[in-house]
């Protein structure tokens, strides 16, 4: 069975104190036994403090981005080695907002995955189609192309990669993909992963759904075939909502 995961992507929200309060509230409200792995991805500026707070708990820290370069004269970039030295275990790569506003694609994303692999950080690799692409029936091709452009040729085990399907039209819009639409696309991704890595690895990689996941739709989405958890944006900024989403796995 693929591992069940709920990850919170705070995006460019919260100042450090708010981020710490949010993390404390999440930790305080978490039941002892969780039905899934929980990951928090704060902005870079509070990563270090959140990591210290999470240390020794069942909640793991992740970053929202990583440089495609290893080190050197790349002003403003944060390298995979720097993240690993801080204790980061996961990093989001290829989020649609990075694709849309920072023109990240293809080789850049592939290099980011290489950098993360070098230091043992697990990528949460995001794929998803725009509304236009879905309306013209291209969602499958778009997602397969995004996987093909960046994923490594081989993996040693299924826990080295997490994939997140995030239809761009569902992100921050309140328009969730229906459980059937999401499950259908997760099935397409699953088949591709099996084809690429074989069933013992490709069949076990966690595939998360992201796009307006809320407490009232999480349980149904998470009950669908090949939906192994969620990548949560807006609702991850509210501790009570995020906890209800985590509890949707119990
Ligand atoms: P929302 O949950 O706000 O739609 O954002 C989803 C997302 O982009 C997570 O990475």
């Amino acid at each position: 069975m693929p591992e069940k995961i709920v990850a919170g992507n705070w995006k460019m929200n919260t100042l450090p104190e708010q981020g710490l309060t949010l993390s404390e509230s999440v930790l305080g409200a978490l039941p002892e036994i969780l039905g899934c792995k929980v990951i928090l991805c704060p902005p870079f500026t509070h990563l270090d403090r959140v990591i210290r707070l999470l240390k020794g708990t069942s909640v793991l820290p992740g970053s929202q981005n990583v440089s495609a370069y290893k080190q050197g004269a790349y002003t403003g970039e944060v390298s995979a080695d720097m993240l690993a030295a801080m204790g980061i275990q996961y990093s989001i790569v290829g989020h649609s907002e990075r694709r849309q506003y920072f023109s990240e694609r293809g080789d850049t994303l592939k290099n980011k995955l290489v950098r993360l692999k070098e230091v043992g950080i697990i990528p949460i690799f995001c794929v998803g189609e725009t509304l236009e692409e879905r309306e013209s029936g291209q969602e499958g091709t778009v997602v397969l192309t995004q996987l093909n452009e960046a994923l490594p040729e081989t993996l040693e085990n299924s826990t080295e990669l997490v994939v997140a399907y995030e239809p761009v039209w569902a992100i921050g819009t309140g328009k969730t993909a229906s459980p059937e639409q999401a499950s259908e696309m997760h099935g397409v991704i699953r088949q591709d992963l099996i084809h690429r890595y074989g069933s013992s690895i490709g069949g076990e990689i966690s595939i998360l759904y992201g796009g307006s996941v809320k407490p009232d739709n999480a349980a149904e989405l998470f009950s669908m075939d090949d939906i192994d958890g969620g990548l949560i944006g807006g609702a991850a900024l509210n501790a009570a909502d995020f906890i209800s989403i985590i509890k949707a796995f119990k």
Side-chain angles (χ1 to χ4, degrees):
M1 282 272 284
E3 191 170 37
K4 306 291 182 199
I5 298 174
V6 173
N9 174 10
W10 296 358
K11 308 192 180 184
M12 198 170 71
N13 293 298
T14 71
L15 293 175
E17 290 306 328
Q18 295 166 315
L20 285 175
T21 305
L22 178 56
S23 306
E24 274 163 4
S25 308
V26 169
L27 283 178
L30 273 186
E32 306 256 301
I33 300 169
L34 293 174
C36 63
K37 183 174 260 181
V38 177
I39 302 168
L40 295 183
C41 304
F44 282 133
T45 48
H46 7 320
L47 262 186
D48 197 39
R49 290 174 72 184
V50 170
I51 288 170
R52 284 165 210 243
L53 188 72
L54 300 182
K55 204 166 179 163
T57 75
S58 57
V59 180
L60 302 171
S63 68
Q64 298 174 19
N65 191 19
V66 61
S67 178
Y69 299 101
K70 191 159 173 61
Q71 69 166 78
Y74 301 103
T75 302
E77 289 285 271
V78 176
S79 74
D81 297 77
M82 293 169 186
L83 294 173
M86 290 173 84
I88 282 294
Q89 298 172 41
Y90 288 86
S91 178
I92 298 171
V93 172
H95 192 282
S96 63
E97 288 148 15
R98 302 237 30 115
R99 293 176 189 266
Q100 186 180 351
Y101 305 127
F102 304 96
S103 308
E104 289 189 3
R105 47 185 54 83
D107 278 354
T108 301
L109 299 178
K110 194 182 183 102
N111 289 336
K112 290 185 179 212
L113 297 186
V114 172
R115 296 286 88 81
L116 292 175
K117 191 177 169 90
E118 285 168 354
V119 298
I121 296 178
I122 302 165
I124 302 176
F125 183 67
C126 303
V127 294
E129 80 286 358
T130 61
L131 185 59
E132 259 181 4
E133 289 162 343
R134 175 160 281 268
E135 285 177 344
S136 58
Q138 289 174 277
E139 63 274 19
T141 325
V142 167
V143 162
L144 291 175
T145 305
Q146 291 170 339
L147 292 171
N148 207 34
E149 279 173 347
L151 290 191
E153 268 171 36
T154 57
L155 286 182
E156 277 124 54
N157 65 63
S158 60
T159 52
E160 274 175 54
L161 172 70
V162 174
V163 175
Y165 169 60
E166 299 205 312
V168 179
W169 48 273
I171 296 177
T173 58
K175 269 193 225 165
T176 322
S178 70
E180 293 72 24
Q181 281 173 321
S183 180
E184 187 187 349
M185 289 302 290
H186 282 232
V188 169
I189 294 168
R190 174 71 66 212
Q191 284 318 307
D192 181 74
L193 295 174
I194 289 176
H195 178 69
R196 213 175 271 281
Y197 304 121
S199 56
S200 62
I201 292 182
E204 298 293 313
I205 292 171
S206 305
I207 309 175
L208 315 184
Y209 169 77
S212 299
V213 178
K214 305 285 176 214
D216 60 0
N217 59 23
E220 198 183 358
L221 283 162
F222 296 167
S223 72
M224 301 299 287
D225 281 349
D226 288 317
I227 301 188
D228 307 309
L231 182 53
I232 320 300
L237 295 171
N238 177 304
D241 285 353
F242 190 59
I243 291 290
S244 326
I245 292 171
I246 293 167
K247 287 186 180 168
F249 267 121
K250 288 200 91 184

